[in-house]
Amino acid sequence: MTTPVCTGASRGAAATTQAVPRSHAVPRAHAAARTPAAARTPATARPAYGARAPYVPYPSFTSFVKARGPVLLRAARSLTANPSDAEDLLQTALTKTYVAWERIEDHRALDGYVRRALLNTRTSQWRKRKVDEFACDELPEQETVPGPDPAERQTLHDAMWRAVLKLPDRQRAMVVLRYYEDLSEAQTAEVLGVSIGTVKSAVSRALGKLREDPELAPVR
């Protein structure tokens, strides 16, 4: 019986097979499992990096009030120190917004619409404000140091307000908020939806016009 003898080629092939350790051979199933999920997902199925969700308008006026009510109430409170007056002010502004709801196509402008209504309503209230007089049994004590003449103060007050009314709408709103409502520059910028720098420059120009007003010449 003849014993088979391996040829050189056969021994070379066997040596090649033994040179590769069995532990280095990775089954196809294991290789697929180790591949990251993102690499196996088609590019068309992955969302683009930085993509934003589409804007969805408010389904109803009630949903808008529930979502933005607290923020708008803070804006109203920046226009008046009395919390009850701020709530009434916001209710008035929201009523105006409700009436115009169907006409406001871009709901991203709703906040600005309500803030503008707050400002206009508060300005109208300030113009209608008057000093109440009350009768009393005893006359107040005379001041030791005489104060300014009330008539002169009222005349100056009226002249100042007439000068303010001559200002452009934007400058007039900023002057009223800054000096009549005593808001800070940051609060004024938030109410009007502009930057603090815009408030500073507009108020500076407005004060320059007031200094040039002939009715305010005695004040200079």
Side-chain angles (χ1 to χ4, degrees):
M1 184 175 182
T2 304
T3 302
V5 179
C6 294
T7 62
S10 300
R11 288 195 299 270
T16 303
T17 303
Q18 295 175 358
V20 180
R22 297 175 62 86
S23 60
H24 290 186
V26 180
R28 291 185 178 180
H30 290 181
R34 295 178 184 177
T35 304
R40 298 197 305 270
T41 305
T44 55
R46 296 195 300 269
Y49 177 76
R52 296 181 178 179
Y55 174 75
V56 179
Y58 295 100
S60 65
F61 175 78
T62 303
S63 63
F64 165 71
V65 174
K66 289 182 178 179
R68 302 298 298 166
V71 176
L72 296 173
L73 181 58
R74 287 197 296 269
R77 287 177 176 173
S78 68
L79 293 175
T80 178
N82 190 318
S84 299
D85 291 343
E87 293 178 0
D88 294 341
L89 182 63
L90 178 59
Q91 289 298 325
T92 302
L94 289 177
T95 301
K96 295 179 180 179
T97 306
Y98 177 77
V99 173
W101 179 260
E102 299 297 335
R103 301 196 304 269
I104 305 176
E105 298 180 356
D106 187 0
H107 284 189
R108 288 170 292 188
L110 284 171
D111 272 25
Y113 188 94
V114 177
R115 291 177 187 274
R116 175 62 62 179
L118 287 171
L119 176 61
N120 293 342
T121 303
R122 187 68 183 108
T123 303
S124 299
Q125 291 175 351
W126 185 90
R127 291 174 180 171
K128 296 177 181 178
R129 185 173 57 187
K130 62 180 181 180
V131 178
D132 294 327
E133 296 180 357
F134 301 95
C136 58
D137 296 332
E138 298 180 0
L139 294 176
E141 297 181 358
Q142 295 291 334
E143 297 182 359
T144 56
V145 179
D149 186 355
E152 293 182 359
R153 290 184 58 184
Q154 186 62 41
T155 301
L156 178 60
H157 181 276
D158 294 341
M160 178 64 73
W161 183 242
R162 287 194 298 270
V164 170
L165 292 179
K166 296 177 186 177
L167 296 173
D169 293 342
R170 193 176 190 183
Q171 294 181 8
R172 181 171 66 249
M174 293 182 183
V175 169
V176 169
L177 291 175
R178 285 285 290 118
Y179 299 105
Y180 286 91
E181 298 299 335
D182 199 23
L183 299 186
S184 66
E185 293 175 343
Q187 291 172 325
T188 302
E190 181 181 359
V191 171
L192 298 179
V194 299
S195 65
I196 297 178
T198 301
V199 173
K200 290 181 178 179
S201 59
V203 170
S204 177
R205 291 194 298 270
L207 294 179
K209 293 180 180 179
L210 292 177
R211 294 188 188 98
E212 297 174 357
D213 193 289
E215 288 193 68
L216 301 180
V219 184
R220 299 178 200 144

